[in-house]
Amino acid sequence: MQVVLSTYEGWQEVLPLIELLDISKSYGTGKSKVDAITNINLTINKGDIFGIIGHSGAGKSTLLRCVNLLERPTAGTVTVGDVELTKLSTTQLQQERRRIGMIFQHFNLLSMATVRDNIAFPLELAKQSKSTIKRRVDELLKLVGLEQHADKYPAQLSGGQKQRVGIARALANNPDVLLCDEATSALDPQTTNAILSLLLDINEKLGITILLITHEMHVIRSICDRVAVIDGGEIVEMGNVLDVFLKPKHAITMDFVSQIADSFDPRELIGTRSGRLVKMNYVGEVTYEPLLFNAVKSTTVEFTILQGTVSRMKNTPYGQLVIEFIGNDREIDEVLAGLRDKGLEVGELK
């Protein structure tokens, strides 16, 4: 299957931190063999928040767990930094895994340990001194906003608080990478937004590269820089989130984009209007400028906005409009050309 690679002018390549080359993972043998993922090639840059989205059973959890070799690939290589993990011995791999934190959908906390002790657990395994452990745990409690809950047990916490403990524990050994396995799927929408804000803050303050999997486009839109769409164990589309969201090319991607409440399918309007239908995408501060008004004010062209939205993708404002233009075709062509000259993506719907 050919992967659709999207390009976006605002994205610039930086140093790769995670590289997956020809990764496949299968279970069983012979007639009972099941291919979970097949020939995955993926590069994640240092400092990125990279999302992998797919339906249940698409292979995204298997792919994520191949990064730290909790699932060892059947074929291919995994490199984090300058270390090829798939070549390491068990002892060497255990050491390298300290560079890779992981948080889970269902928290995986020690039920008989306090918040403080849960966070301290990886540091104790690493045989850190008591003074180092205390200092680091205090730092992490402050970072995730749990200073007042340090001596509570998991049963005394809300779901969001439990996930904050999980995040703090994952950060204990100062990892370069944070893997998030459906980290917000068990949370309500308000708590989900709070956890996403925390992950974004961690990424910006600490520079930690985050790789997350999800089945929710809202998660991708809120914090991710780049995204890969996985279906049937293969990556079918990949690129900058803005590009993939505004111009989805694969049917599965279109399905995920439709999850967003303010998304729309302009094809529904074709054949119902007498004017010329145009779809416009715009990104950045131009979103808030009166470009459409300025484009038509010196003409006889009239327009009607049939569908539209203004929202944000991570920290970037964007907008989408479907407009019906009525008037002289020559003048309409001039209006559309002027909008394109301003940097807007303008396409006529046929």
Side-chain angles (χ1 to χ4, degrees):
M1 182 181 296
Q2 185 177 6
V3 178
V4 180
L5 290 175
S6 298
T7 58
Y8 181 69
E9 293 180 356
W11 174 71
Q12 296 181 343
E13 186 177 5
V14 294
L15 293 174
L17 182 64
I18 302 171
E19 292 186 286
L20 308 183
L21 181 62
D22 295 328
I23 292 293
S24 296
K25 175 64 180 179
S26 59
Y27 300 94
T29 58
K31 293 182 179 180
S32 62
K33 179 183 176 183
V34 176
D35 295 320
I37 53 175
T38 307
N39 296 327
I40 297 288
N41 289 284
L42 195 61
T43 298
I44 299 168
N45 294 319
K46 182 176 176 59
D48 266 4
I49 302 181
F50 194 105
I52 298 173
I53 190 167
H55 292 299
S56 296
K60 57 186 185 295
S61 291
T62 299
L63 177 57
L64 185 79
R65 294 167 69 86
C66 281
V67 174
N68 59 2
L69 268 62
L70 289 179
E71 294 281 0
R72 184 170 284 273
T74 307
T77 61
V78 178
T79 302
V80 178
D82 56 356
V83 178
E84 186 178 323
L85 301 186
T86 37
K87 281 186 175 180
L88 300 182
S89 67
T90 300
T91 302
Q92 291 171 325
L93 180 58
Q94 288 175 345
Q95 184 69 29
E96 286 298 320
R97 278 183 179 148
R98 293 175 185 170
R99 301 171 54 204
I100 307 172
M102 190 166 186
I103 60 175
F104 304 89
Q105 177 180 358
H106 297 296
F107 320 126
N108 288 12
L109 302 181
L110 302 171
S111 61
M112 301 304 292
T114 64
V115 167
R116 180 179 293 278
D117 290 340
N118 266 281
I119 298 171
F121 186 62
L123 297 166
E124 292 169 351
L125 291 179
K127 302 187 185 317
Q128 297 290 331
S129 68
K130 289 185 177 181
S131 60
T132 298
I133 291 174
K134 183 181 185 307
R135 181 173 63 254
R136 181 60 177 155
V137 171
D138 286 343
E139 292 172 354
L140 291 167
L141 286 168
K142 183 176 181 180
L143 178 67
V144 301
L146 290 178
E147 304 102 307
Q148 306 303 315
H149 303 279
D151 297 319
K152 290 183 179 179
Y153 290 87
Q156 299 173 289
L157 304 176
S158 67
Q161 290 168 339
K162 290 176 184 177
Q163 196 56 285
R164 287 173 183 269
V165 178
I167 292 170
R169 180 184 58 188
L171 296 174
N173 281 313
N174 290 299
D176 300 319
V177 178
L178 183 61
L179 305 181
C180 303
D181 187 359
E182 296 275 12
T184 61
S185 294
L187 306 175
D188 63 76
Q190 184 175 358
T191 307
T192 291
N193 289 336
I195 293 298
L196 293 178
S197 294
L198 175 60
L199 290 174
L200 184 58
D201 189 50
I202 288 168
N203 170 258
E204 292 176 346
K205 286 182 177 178
L206 305 181
I208 292 176
T209 303
I210 297 177
L211 173 60
L212 62 86
I213 63 170
T214 183
H215 61 272
E216 299 173 299
M217 196 64 192
H218 165 69
V219 172
I220 299 294
R221 184 176 72 166
S222 296
I223 67 170
C224 291
D225 302 296
R226 301 182 68 217
V227 62
V229 183
I230 189 169
D231 183 54
E234 300 180 21
I235 293 177
V236 296
E237 188 162 358
M238 178 165 56
N240 178 279
V241 171
L242 270 167
D243 202 22
V244 171
F245 182 82
L246 295 177
K247 295 175 286 184
K249 295 177 175 62
H250 194 278
I252 293 296
T253 312
M254 295 177 188
D255 181 40
F256 280 116
V257 169
S258 70
Q259 292 179 359
I260 304 298
D262 56 17
S263 65
F264 52 81
D265 187 351
R267 294 171 295 183
E268 298 172 358
L269 296 170
I270 297 175
T272 67
R273 311 293 298 187
S274 58
R276 291 171 62 176
L277 296 182
V278 172
K279 181 181 178 182
M280 290 172 36
N281 291 333
Y282 39 97
V283 178
E285 293 307 315
V286 69
T287 300
Y288 304 115
E289 296 179 12
L291 297 181
L292 185 57
F293 171 77
N294 290 337
V296 302
K297 67 181 181 181
S298 60
T299 74
T300 62
V301 174
E302 297 179 347
F303 68 89
T304 302
I305 297 175
L306 302 177
Q307 292 178 322
T309 182
V310 174
S311 190
R312 299 187 75 84
M313 194 83 67
K314 196 174 179 181
N315 295 321
T316 304
Y318 73 93
Q320 294 177 300
L321 292 177
V322 174
I323 304 160
E324 180 183 27
F325 287 99
I326 300 172
N328 179 277
D329 280 336
R330 180 185 59 80
E331 283 195 308
I332 293 175
D333 288 340
E334 290 176 355
V335 167
L336 300 184
L339 290 169
R340 292 189 183 102
D341 288 343
K342 294 292 186 181
L344 278 67
E345 180 184 325
V346 179
E348 194 158 357
L349 302 178
K350 302 291 187 181

